[in-house]
Amino acid sequence: MDSGIGLLPTAAAMRRLRPDADLLLSSDPATMPWGPRTPEDVTELALGCARAAAAHRPDALIVACNTASVHALPALRAELEPVLPVVGTVPAIKPAAAGGGPIAIWATPATTGSPYQRGLIRDFADGVEVTEVPCPGLADAVQHADTEGIDAAVPAAAARTPREVTTVVLGCTHYELVADRIRAAVQQPDAPPIALHGSAGAVAAQALRRIGADPFPPDGAAAPGGLTVILGGREAALPEVALTYAEGALLAPVAPARG
């Protein structure tokens, strides 16, 4: 679940790990963006998406949204666990810090400088130089595949990123959909390749561990898994905007046809 198509990277990672898994994507894009909303509003919206998904009796719920993970995880877990395991999304600060630094964390303005993010930096990047980079408008532009908006937001955030940075943490799941653009924008000429750290692969693997499933592709004998899409609580087709990204195209062939 996510506010919008920010769930695509995690869903695509799950599809790669377990092509046989049935996936359910629950979002509420009409209520975006969630970042500027109050924690109470985010929690209520996240609960709505989660309840719509839970009605289909899944094995696990992945909160593929950094904002929802910051504000709504306690409420989601209180309502759904232990029957339905809930897996949150945390910016990949720990593995990024393990490689040294300097590090930049690209995140929404609401997450940048938040006690939550500062706590992760304190706990996992102590002694490493970290710059928090707000990216106003980027998640919304990605959500709508707004090329002009992306082309404006990415260079603006890159200009706020120190030139000596060697690693960028993508602190919003939407940003993983334009990771190549971000990499190109922050890469300095004649410098070693920038390392980008998203969360999708690790979160998908963690969800499989939580339910005791083997996080490796099956031997090919199993039928490919299906895809169900829920938008604002109702079943729908995969949004057309999702197909503009490689992750959406990966999921599209198994999406059921809907009138």
Side-chain angles (χ1 to χ4, degrees):
M1 60 147 287
D2 179 38
S3 58
I5 63 170
L7 48 66
L8 291 178
T10 306
M14 184 65 78
R15 178 65 75 214
R16 294 185 187 100
L17 287 171
R18 289 300 301 256
D20 60 326
D22 292 325
L23 301 180
L24 171 70
L25 312 183
S26 181
S27 63
D28 195 0
T31 63
M32 282 192 68
W34 285 8
R37 293 179 177 271
T38 66
E40 293 77 15
D41 284 346
V42 171
T43 297
E44 193 57 37
L45 290 168
L47 283 168
C49 288
R51 289 166 181 155
H56 290 253
R57 303 176 65 85
D59 296 308
L61 174 71
I62 299 176
V63 185
C65 174
N66 294 91
T67 299
S69 295
V70 169
H71 298 301
L73 270 182
L76 290 168
R77 286 174 170 156
E79 178 168 321
L80 300 173
E81 291 187 337
V83 175
L84 177 59
V86 177
V87 179
T89 297
V90 176
I93 296 172
K94 184 176 181 179
I103 295 170
I105 304 173
W106 284 34
T108 63
T111 299
T112 300
S114 66
Y116 168 79
Q117 184 161 288
R118 292 280 169 86
L120 292 174
I121 294 169
R122 182 185 62 250
D123 293 342
F124 300 121
D126 186 37
V128 177
E129 184 179 346
V130 177
T131 301
E132 296 177 274
V133 179
C135 305
L138 180 54
D140 199 46
V142 172
Q143 173 66 31
H144 296 97
D146 175 4
T147 301
E148 290 186 4
I150 295 169
D151 288 344
V154 169
R160 293 188 287 272
T161 302
R163 293 175 59 87
E164 64 271 18
V165 157
T166 62
T167 304
V168 175
V169 175
L170 303 179
C172 172
T173 54
H174 278 77
Y175 299 172
E176 297 190 45
L177 294 171
V178 291
D180 288 345
R181 297 195 194 190
I182 293 173
R183 187 192 306 276
V186 297
Q187 182 66 53
Q188 297 297 323
D190 302 321
I194 287 284
L196 248 59
H197 287 266
S199 302
V203 171
Q206 172 63 10
L208 290 173
R209 285 192 292 268
R210 283 289 304 275
I211 63 174
D214 185 10
F216 297 99
D219 59 10
L227 182 75
T228 300
V229 176
I230 300 176
L231 300 177
R234 297 186 177 185
E235 289 194 39
L238 191 68
E240 288 293 325
V241 69
L243 303 179
T244 64
Y245 298 104
E247 293 84 349
L250 174 66
L251 298 167
V254 296
R258 299 194 183 281

